[in-house]
Amino acid sequence: MRMLDDIWLSRGCVAAFASVGLYWGAFGALVPDLKPQVGLSDGDFGLALLVSSFGAICAMWLAPMVERALGRRVLPVLAVLMAVAFLLPGLSTGGVSFALAMMLGAMGSGTLDVAMNARLSVLEGASRRSLMNLNHGMFSVAYACSALATGQAREAGWTPFTVFAALGVVTLMLAVVMARNPVDDPPRNADAPKAAPLSWWLLLPGGLIVLVAFVSEQGTEGWSALHLERNLGAGAAEGALGPALLGITMAVGRLSGQAVAHRFSEASVIRIAATISAAGALIAACAPSLAIAYLGFALLGLGVSVVAPMGFAWVGRLVPDELKSLAISRIAVLGYAGFFVGPPMMGGLAEAFGLAASFTAIGLLILLAPVVLVPLLQRQEAARR
């Protein structure tokens, strides 16, 4: 019942998280169709996504300005712009047009991502309720449902453009929910003392925790279907089950994280979850069969699911209320670079050494969180006591 109350309280943000999940779930399942459509090799496909990342990261850095300018309307406006932008990759037939189309889609998605996390942080502060894991869980639910539906649509002969157009209709309906349930701007007290500037010694380790989680997540989203189909002989629907399993287990982990967050510290949760995630990536990399690969992707999703939300919540707890939105925005800019660094990294390694090496690298990367980044952030927390 408490979870239903939290969903109702944050329903505008839930709709925003779900809309982003729909597009990236579909994209992960469409990679085997998009690559031949635009005529790119593994490395060139990854490079096209890397090119798109530069504009997206710039857009995310400027997202706080967009949020202030649009105010309470920010989520529905950005959701509609994202829906329009994602029609373009489905129409692309060459590498340059695909890179530019994905840049526009990533800019829309990334800006919305920063804005919805910032608005959710404001809502958490106003309501004094933990909502971050829940909303990220709804992203994962939407992602998994979209990946499964897209796999069935591919089997039925739908083109990438048709899939993205159908998602546009769903996103317009979700935008209505966002518009009717906006998150108010945080109150501003002119008489309150000015808060100290945010320290990058705090933001950097928190942002890098989010970064390694999202590199692992997005790298797996974008390349798991291809790994299953190319290396293990999966069909289109069986290949789509890879990203779908990732989304399903991430949803389970994040929704369960609502309860876990009240019992254990962020540091403990991140350490355990990152270790599970790394083990899953290594299992998927070395899997001799589809069943073992599915197990690996399930463990990866279950572990990585709570790393980013706990990173956001940890940093948000350590800064004053008037700086929460800015802090979340800044670590989101750094962290969400992982959504764009992951696929090109995977593509480059796949081109040189094969997809098994790519997933091995994912497993080693996620171990940076418990070994290096968590101790750094713990020191910052201790210094602020």
Side-chain angles (χ1 to χ4, degrees):
M1 183 63 68
R2 180 64 180 271
M3 185 173 294
L4 293 177
D5 291 339
D6 289 341
I7 291 174
W8 181 254
L9 172 65
S10 60
R11 58 195 179 278
C13 292
V14 165
F17 275 84
S19 67
V20 177
L22 288 175
Y23 279 100
W24 289 112
F27 176 78
L30 285 170
V31 166
D33 285 346
L34 285 169
K35 278 185 76 274
Q37 176 179 304
V38 297
L40 295 176
S41 66
D42 288 352
D44 289 339
F45 190 79
L47 182 61
L49 295 181
L50 180 61
V51 169
S52 73
S53 72
F54 291 111
I57 291 172
C58 291
M60 287 187 289
W61 184 265
L62 298 174
M65 295 173 56
V66 175
E67 184 192 3
R68 287 193 297 271
L70 294 176
R72 300 167 84 242
R73 301 168 296 168
V74 63
L75 298 187
V77 170
L78 291 177
V80 171
L81 291 176
M82 177 185 67
V84 173
F86 262 102
L87 292 174
L88 301 177
L91 295 172
S92 300
T93 56
V96 174
S97 62
F98 176 74
L100 294 175
M102 282 305 300
M103 182 175 68
L104 292 176
M107 288 173 69
S109 169
T111 308
L112 177 58
D113 244 318
V114 172
M116 68 193 188
N117 274 286
R119 288 277 150 172
L120 185 62
S121 180
V122 171
L123 185 59
E124 281 189 318
S127 64
R128 303 299 178 187
R129 292 164 79 167
S130 176
L131 303 168
M132 197 68 74
N133 276 302
L134 172 64
N135 277 258
H136 281 259
M138 298 311 291
F139 166 91
S140 299
V141 170
Y143 176 92
C145 292
S146 182
L148 286 172
T150 300
Q152 295 302 316
R154 287 179 61 210
E155 292 276 10
W158 286 36
T159 65
F161 175 78
T162 308
V163 172
F164 287 134
L167 292 179
V169 175
V170 178
T171 300
L172 289 176
M173 292 188 288
L174 291 172
V176 172
V177 178
M178 300 175 216
R180 291 182 175 178
N181 302 280
V183 178
D184 291 328
D185 295 326
R188 303 183 187 279
N189 185 357
D191 298 327
K194 186 176 180 180
L198 287 172
S199 169
W200 276 102
W201 290 106
L202 170 66
L203 298 182
L204 190 60
L208 289 176
I209 286 172
V210 178
L211 173 71
V212 297
F214 285 163
V215 167
S216 304
E217 178 183 337
Q218 186 60 18
T220 304
E221 288 173 358
W223 294 86
S224 57
L226 195 62
H227 175 56
L228 293 169
E229 293 182 26
R230 176 186 293 175
N231 295 339
L232 297 171
E238 292 172 320
L241 190 55
L245 270 175
L246 182 78
I248 291 168
T249 53
M250 286 182 66
V252 171
R254 284 171 173 172
L255 294 176
S256 301
Q258 281 287 103
V260 172
H262 295 297
R263 298 187 179 185
F264 301 97
S265 69
E266 296 94 346
S268 298
V269 174
I270 292 173
R271 280 197 176 100
I272 296 171
T275 302
I276 293 172
S277 179
L282 295 174
I283 289 171
C286 303
S289 66
L290 281 174
I292 300 299
Y294 289 150
L295 172 64
F297 288 131
L299 288 174
L300 195 162
L302 189 65
V304 81
S305 64
V306 297
V307 174
M310 294 301 282
F312 279 122
W314 194 356
V315 173
R317 180 171 59 82
L318 296 179
V319 300
D321 288 344
E322 62 270 25
L323 292 179
K324 286 185 186 297
S325 179
L326 182 60
I328 292 294
S329 297
R330 290 298 177 253
I331 67 170
V333 169
L334 179 58
Y336 278 95
F339 275 100
F340 312 107
V341 172
M345 181 192 77
M346 296 287 286
L349 289 173
E351 181 91 356
F353 306 107
L355 279 167
S358 299
F359 284 105
T360 300
I362 288 291
L364 298 176
L365 182 66
I366 194 66
L367 287 176
L368 288 176
V371 175
V372 177
L373 300 174
V374 167
L376 287 175
L377 196 50
Q378 283 181 309
R379 291 194 193 101
Q380 290 300 310
E381 181 176 15
R384 288 169 180 268
R385 288 175 180 169

